[in-house]
Amino acid sequence: MSRVALVTGGSRGIGAAISIALKNAGYTVAANYAGNDEAAAKFTAETGIKTYKWSVADYDACAAGIAQVEADLGPVEVLVNNAGITRDAMFHKMTPQQWKEVIDTNLSGVFNMAHPLWSGMRDRKFGRIINISSVNGQKGQAGQANYSAAKSGDLGFTKALAQEGARAGITVNAICPGYIATEMVRAIDEKVLNERIIPQIPVGRLGEPEEIARCVVFLASDEAGFITGSTISANGGQFVV
Ligand code: CAA
């Protein structure tokens, strides 16, 4: 029986590449998404990967969604917390709503997904939790006080939970992508992207979603059992920790 992997935000962008890479590596994959029904239907038609709609910002919806995935496919053994949003604004213009939306999805969403799965992983003595943080959680980014706070919080969560899971065969790791060629990055003003951001990337280009997916497949594998509490930085040299 192949292991079941659940990828949040798994039908678009980096998440879609992760879902496909895990499927190609032999996992049975469920891709969660929050809003874009059309993209999800297209993704399922093209890949055969089942999609499930709920918001990771809602704890009860996560518990119900996970129960549905497990009823359909079996126990989730690999969780990839990839879902994330941006609400960029300089801090003096940032609204409490922009702060809250990003914290609810990008930070609380990780708790909301891991918590309902945790006891099952402990009971089965196996689990892989992979949190997609960001270079901007490591270095901070002007215009992203909300996003940087949430992504940095994801790293603290990863390190703490790794220590709790270690004895139970559960690894918890993070990946910090740099600027990857997805809709989220393409939404940045072109002038800002070309003049301020790309010049800061030593390899001289945006990353590809598949370059992040490859890291996920590595961390998800049975052979990666000695790696926990770690962060893989995949940022083209933009920020060297
Ligand atoms: N450091 C310090 N000051 C900065 C700055 C920086 N990096 N960037 C801009 N400023 C200053 C500007 O010089 C300007 O100052 P003055 O008013 O004195 O001229 C002021 O801040 C306002 O800048 P903007 O004109 O850019 O302000 P805006 O309101 O039009 O736009 C913004 C603000 C939307 C945040 C825009 O600057 C922006 O998009 N920045 C990029 C943010 C970013 O990198 N987001 C990443 C999204 S992708 C992602 O998040 C994925 C991932 O994980 C990497």
Side-chain angles (χ1 to χ4, degrees), residues 86 88 90 93 134 136 141-144 147 178-179 184-185 188 192 196-197:
T86 52
D88 292 0
M90 298 306 278
K93 294 185 196 163
S134 166
N136 291 344
Q141 170 62 46
Q144 288 200 306
Y147 187 90
Y179 284 74
M184 182 185 275
V185 166
I188 302 172
V192 172
R196 287 204 218 130
I197 294 173

Side-chain angles (χ1 to χ4, degrees), residues 14 85-93 106 132-137 139 141-144 147-148 151 176-180 182-189 192-193 196-197 200 238:
I14 293 174
I85 58 170
T86 52
R87 297 287 182 267
D88 292 0
M90 298 306 278
F91 192 58
H92 61 283
K93 294 185 196 163
N106 297 11
I132 308 300
S133 176
S134 166
V135 64
N136 291 344
K139 72 171 186 58
Q141 170 62 46
Q144 288 200 306
Y147 187 90
S148 297
K151 293 296 189 179
C176 284
Y179 284 74
I180 308 299
T182 62
E183 278 174 49
M184 182 185 275
V185 166
R186 297 281 178 209
I188 302 172
D189 180 81
V192 172
L193 188 62
R196 287 204 218 130
I197 294 173
Q200 293 173 11
Q238 184 185 354

Side-chain angles (χ1 to χ4, degrees), residues 66-86:
I66 288 167
Q68 185 62 55
V69 169
E70 294 198 324
D72 291 351
L73 306 176
V76 172
E77 294 182 296
V78 178
L79 169 65
V80 184
N81 280 314
N82 164 78
I85 58 170
T86 52

